[in-house]
Amino acid sequence: MRRIYKLLLAVSVILLMTGPLAYAEFPNNPIGWGFKKGREGKPADAGKPLEQLIGKYGAVYKGDPNKKDIYLTFDNGYENGYTDQILDVLKKEKVPAAFFVTGHYLESAEDQVIRMVEDGHIVGNHSYHHPDLTKVSDEKLKEELELVRSKTQELTGQKHMSYLRPPRGVFSERTMQLARDAGYTHVFWSLAFVDWNTDQQRGWQYSYDNIMRQIHPGAILLLHTVSKDNADALEKAIQDLKKQGYTFKSLDDLMLSGVLKDPMLY
């Protein structure tokens, strides 16, 4: 009996270490992403504490500040009629992008998701139900990510999903470790502005000016596809940035650039 008891105890310890409590050692205090905006070509700056934290978990928010590369990303929570216009511009200008999608988007905008992959863009994970990931269990977090991955594969054939953008930019060390263990790299951003309020669109110039004002070498742009301003400004912004010597690259290019291996880039 004593031997059986010891065996059961050992099994219990293993289950605890591989179950939800395995990540209890990682702090779960919510952290909201933020940074000092770039100006006049100078890179955005998240500050040393945040940079050290994301570096610890292999996340990114900008590329090499010495190279005029740009990484264009979009968040897709729901379809508002402008994604095809955006995809048309990207195709015309031969610009790669990453689209971070939710479950609602996958269920309601299948044609757009299929086209993203067919056009050579990256589809990333924005969680299925868009929750605050710091407030869900380990298993629920894994489920949120897997539902997006599997549905995307079902629609497009894309088997692997490597990039995660946490809903609302809220994260913790626990959620970052969970995501990394699931094979994801957190992708934050170094250029953004209020563009998601569909009832407060201000015209293409608003979007264009915000992009051009904050742009900097290595920028990861965050735009929302629900914005008419963004859709109408995108072509001119891309063309004018190219004239300034910028090159648009994909997140895969960023990963291959060695940015994660060189802390001096931050």
Side-chain angles (χ1 to χ4, degrees):
M1 287 297 293
R2 183 175 298 177
R3 184 175 298 177
I4 293 174
Y5 173 78
K6 289 182 177 179
L7 178 60
L8 290 174
L9 181 61
V11 171
S12 298
V13 170
I14 292 172
L15 289 174
L16 284 174
M17 290 302 296
T18 58
L21 293 181
Y23 293 88
E25 64 186 277
F26 296 95
N28 193 46
N29 52 303
I31 302 169
W33 181 246
F35 55 89
K36 181 180 179 181
K37 294 181 178 180
R39 284 287 189 275
E40 298 178 350
K42 295 181 180 179
D45 184 4
K48 285 299 180 183
L50 272 180
E51 289 179 347
Q52 290 173 352
L53 181 59
I54 68 171
K56 177 180 178 180
Y57 292 95
V60 294
Y61 80 100
K62 62 182 178 182
D64 191 334
N66 300 308
K67 295 182 179 179
K68 299 189 77 170
D69 296 331
I70 299 175
Y71 307 92
L72 188 57
T73 71
F74 296 89
D75 282 3
N76 292 68
Y78 65 96
E79 179 55 38
N80 196 37
Y82 302 113
T83 303
D84 279 329
Q85 180 182 343
I86 288 169
L87 288 168
D88 288 344
V89 170
L90 298 176
K91 187 171 186 177
K92 177 184 176 183
E93 295 297 326
K94 296 181 174 59
V95 167
F99 294 86
F100 290 89
V101 300
T102 63
H104 182 279
Y105 196 86
L106 288 165
E107 297 288 350
S108 62
E110 295 182 357
D111 291 345
Q112 281 74 23
V113 177
I114 292 169
R115 183 181 173 188
M116 289 169 191
V117 174
E118 289 180 343
D119 284 1
H121 301 298
I122 292 169
V123 175
N125 206 316
H126 201 36
S127 80
Y128 203 84
H129 296 99
H130 205 259
D132 178 342
L133 295 178
T134 67
K135 295 182 179 179
V136 302
S137 69
D138 295 357
E139 290 307 315
K140 180 62 176 176
L141 186 151
K142 294 174 186 177
E143 180 183 89
E144 284 283 331
L145 302 188
E146 178 56 21
L147 284 171
V148 172
R149 188 209 65 78
S150 60
K151 181 62 176 179
T152 301
Q153 179 179 355
E154 176 188 327
L155 288 176
T156 70
Q158 175 184 290
K159 295 181 180 180
H160 302 291
M161 189 167 279
S162 302
Y163 306 112
L164 167 67
R165 175 160 288 155
R168 306 175 187 88
V170 178
F171 63 102
S172 69
E173 290 199 52
R174 168 183 158 268
T175 63
M176 294 187 83
Q177 183 64 46
L178 277 162
R180 187 166 71 167
D181 286 349
Y184 288 91
T185 296
H186 270 68
V187 178
F188 295 101
W189 57 91
S190 62
L191 193 161
F193 51 94
V194 178
D195 63 347
W196 57 84
N197 292 324
T198 57
D199 59 347
Q200 297 179 28
Q201 295 295 288
R202 310 181 191 184
W204 72 269
Q205 191 79 45
Y206 169 77
S207 176
Y208 175 88
D209 288 347
N210 271 283
I211 293 171
M212 304 306 285
R213 185 182 303 119
Q214 296 184 52
I215 199 65
H216 62 85
I220 296 180
L221 280 70
L222 163 59
L223 300 174
H224 289 82
T225 58
V226 297
S227 167
K228 185 178 188 301
D229 292 352
N230 289 342
D232 291 344
L234 188 61
E235 183 171 357
K236 179 172 174 55
I238 289 173
Q239 291 174 348
D240 288 353
L241 288 169
K242 286 180 176 179
K243 290 176 183 177
Q244 291 185 19
Y246 283 98
T247 300
F248 288 84
K249 294 188 175 181
S250 75
L251 292 179
D252 288 344
D253 294 323
L254 178 60
M255 296 302 109
L256 292 172
S257 71
V259 66
L260 294 180
K261 300 177 183 178
D262 188 355
M264 295 303 293
L265 293 178
Y266 291 113

